[in-house]
Amino acid sequence: MQSHSSSTITASPTTSFYVWQNYRCAYDRLSPSGTPEGMPLLLIHPIGVGLYRKFWHRFCDEWYRHGQNNLIYNPDLLGCGESDMPIVAYEPSDWAAQLQYFLQTVVKTPVVVIVQGALFPVAIELVHLQPDYIGGLILAGPPARTLIDKPTPTWQTRLSWNIFNSPVGDGFYRYARRSQFLRSFSTRQLFASATAVDGEWLEMLQQGAHDPASRHAVFSFLAGFWRQDYSAKIAAITQPTLVVMGDQASSISRKGKAETPDERLQDYLTQLSNGEGVKLPGRNVLPYESTAAFVTTTISFVKSLKTP
């Protein structure tokens, strides 16, 4: 596990905005010092208290430190970061439609999608909507497959959303933004090492959660709108897909059964028609916690891809 000082992105990002369905959406476009080469990368950040596109800054820094020349597109999903934050219940298909529009109007060329954690359903929907724009997929610590192989009853997710979208939820979000809670949760659920939960990580989360309107995306995630049956759509993915799992990855399946990282990795490789997998040191946020190892693995995979 490597330690980090406060990082500065080698290729300074240019933050821009576009309008999708009357909502203003933010993204960073990063370019190498030389001529761009290869397919651009499209990064999909996780959803959680304070999480937004800055989650990927260490990855971007390390990517260019390795001399890579791909363009990188790093958008804020609606409800996060500098994008608008309407009071809606966000589903993976909504964010996928946002990214489809982004690909069609801003990027305009096939990309390699790198998606963190349980936002994998967003990437699944995006591949389903616009397969010709997806040249490959990299899944960083995807969720237990049992969480996305059976539909969650609509009444259950709506009930959860209504509870969160109330004064009870408001109070919870104010509590969850506290540094003590963020540190405790990150140590218990995300990082393999407590020392990796550093000031840079906590500052990012508090900055991202500063606007209370950011709670709606988080509550949509907690309500479970992403826990649907994606089995058929996963099996239909033909693009080369790399599954990267932490050797200390933790999860509880829908049935309440703990699974090993090897079991989860094999579960995905059994269903993906064009998949390969690797384990790296770390737990559930590999692009942030084990940045160097994750970037090295990602570079090898991206170089093996052919432009569609």
Side-chain angles (χ1 to χ4, degrees):
M1 214 65 60
Q2 76 253 32
S3 61
H4 293 265
S5 59
S6 181
S7 59
T8 301
I9 293 182
T10 306
S12 297
T14 300
T15 301
S16 302
F17 297 86
Y18 64 99
V19 176
W20 173 69
Q21 293 190 357
N22 293 322
Y23 296 120
R24 187 171 183 257
C25 303
Y27 70 96
D28 285 342
R29 179 185 184 275
L30 295 94
S31 58
S33 55
T35 303
E37 297 176 0
M39 275 186 285
L41 309 183
L42 174 65
L43 310 180
I44 303 179
H45 65 75
I47 298 293
V49 178
L51 289 167
Y52 63 114
R53 72 184 190 277
K54 193 174 180 180
F55 171 85
W56 292 105
H57 278 203
R58 282 186 177 179
F59 170 87
C60 296
D61 190 3
E62 191 73 17
W63 184 264
Y64 290 123
R65 212 191 307 277
H66 275 70
Q68 301 309 297
N69 291 321
N70 308 72
L71 291 172
I72 298 178
Y73 291 91
N74 185 17
D76 272 331
L77 296 176
L78 196 65
C80 305
E82 292 183 79
S83 290
D84 282 347
M85 300 178 179
I87 305 174
V88 297
Y90 302 89
E91 300 194 18
S93 57
D94 298 320
W95 283 316
Q98 175 194 349
L99 294 177
Q100 179 189 28
Y101 180 84
F102 181 68
L103 286 176
Q104 291 175 343
T105 62
V106 176
V107 182
K108 301 179 182 178
T109 190
V111 298
V112 182
V113 171
I114 308 181
V115 58
Q116 167 61 34
L119 268 286
F120 178 38
V122 176
I124 296 171
E125 297 285 10
L126 180 59
V127 174
H128 180 71
L129 288 172
Q130 197 74 52
D132 56 321
Y133 270 70
I134 312 300
L137 286 162
I138 300 173
L139 317 181
R145 267 264 298 104
T146 53
L147 293 175
I148 52 174
D149 69 356
K150 289 186 177 67
T152 300
T154 301
W155 68 264
Q156 185 174 322
T157 53
R158 287 291 169 184
L159 177 61
S160 297
W161 163 257
N162 288 336
I163 292 173
F164 282 123
N165 191 33
S166 71
V168 172
D170 294 348
F172 165 75
Y173 200 70
R174 284 194 296 272
Y175 173 78
R177 290 189 301 176
R178 296 164 59 247
S179 178
Q180 299 95 317
F181 177 87
L182 293 171
R183 181 183 295 278
S184 173
F185 179 84
S186 298
T187 301
R188 287 184 291 107
Q189 301 292 340
L190 301 180
F191 288 79
S193 168
T195 58
V197 185
D198 57 16
E200 183 182 351
W201 171 260
L202 296 174
E203 181 182 353
M204 176 188 71
L205 297 185
Q206 290 187 300
Q207 179 182 347
H210 177 73
D211 188 337
S214 63
R215 69 189 186 278
H216 305 299
V218 177
F219 291 166
S220 297
F221 180 80
L222 294 177
F225 290 105
W226 59 278
R227 294 196 303 268
Q228 301 300 321
D229 184 2
Y230 290 101
S231 298
K233 286 184 177 179
I234 292 174
I237 295 173
T238 59
Q239 287 86 348
T241 303
L242 175 66
V243 185
V244 187
M245 202 71 65
D247 62 3
Q248 298 184 54
S250 58
S251 177
I252 299 295
S253 72
R254 187 187 292 267
K255 298 177 182 178
K257 174 183 175 293
E259 62 177 2
T260 68
D262 286 317
E263 287 172 337
R264 195 193 311 185
L265 186 57
Q266 188 56 44
D267 207 5
Y268 273 104
L269 297 183
T270 298
Q271 191 170 28
L272 288 163
S273 64
N274 194 7
E276 57 185 280
V278 64
K279 284 194 306 178
L280 297 179
R283 196 172 177 190
N284 294 334
V285 285
L286 297 175
Y288 196 95
E289 182 181 20
S290 301
T291 313
F294 184 80
V295 166
T296 300
T297 299
T298 299
I299 288 172
S300 177
F301 177 77
V302 171
K303 285 184 176 295
S304 72
L305 299 175
K306 296 179 180 178
T307 303

